[in-house]
């Protein structure tokens, strides 16, 4: 994950701690609270959480091809026709995708870290590496977790306790 092997566990621990805060904020939410939006044109809390889960699964199973049978069902969670999910389902999706990603990351060999793929559009580098993908998913989780926190706070609910 880095040229400094001692740093990788700290990065994963920080990401895991952030996920724990996200889960804690989602667990008690009702169906009505999961349907809240920060503005009419923005996604609901449910849609944001499903987007996080779907993106994790697509990067790890779709592009990187990791053995993620357990993650495959989560790939379409944020597609237009996907149904809303309960708080318990969202928490389970976050936990299962986290477990799959973490298992893959800690199991990668130096050859796995050296893999590359072509970038697909202008939002990605020309060449994708596992380092870039892991960082991209961290920043993606942070961005959308903040969006969930802001949405909850705008409606008088407790967001992520950072």
């Amino acid at each position: 994950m880095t040229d400094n092997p001692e740093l990788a566990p700290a990065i994963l621990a920080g990401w895991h701690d952030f996920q724990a805060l996200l889960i804690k904020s989602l667990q008690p939410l009702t169906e009505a609270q999961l349907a809240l939006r920060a503005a009419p044109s923005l996604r609901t809390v449910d849609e944001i959480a499903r987007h996080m889960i779907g993106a994790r699964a697509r990067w790890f199973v779709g592009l990187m091809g990791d053995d993620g049978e357990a993650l495959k069902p989560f790939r379409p969670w944020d597609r237009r026709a996907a149904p809303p999910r309960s708080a318990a389902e969202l928490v389970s999706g976050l936990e299962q995708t986290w477990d799959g990603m973490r298992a893959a990351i800690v199991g990668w060999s130096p050859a796995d870290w050296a893999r590359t793929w072509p970038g697909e559009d202008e939002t990605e580098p020309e060449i994708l590496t596992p380092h870039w993908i892991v960082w991209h998913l961290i920043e993606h989780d942070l961005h959308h977790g903040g969006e969930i926190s802001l949405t909850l706070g705008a409606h008088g609910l407790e967001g992520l306790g950072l």
Side-chain angles (χ1 to χ4, degrees), residues 42-57:
L42 298 177
R43 290 184 254 203
T44 67
V45 171
D46 166 69
E47 290 167 336
I48 299 165
R50 286 188 292 113
H51 173 62
M52 294 168 72
I53 293 163
R56 288 172 168 191

Side-chain angles (χ1 to χ4, degrees), residues 52-77:
M52 294 168 72
I53 293 163
R56 288 172 168 191
R58 280 190 302 281
W59 278 105
F60 270 78
V61 177
L63 176 67
M64 297 177 76
D66 280 299
D67 183 23
E69 285 300 315
L71 298 183
K72 282 184 181 177
F74 298 106
R75 290 175 68 189
W77 270 35

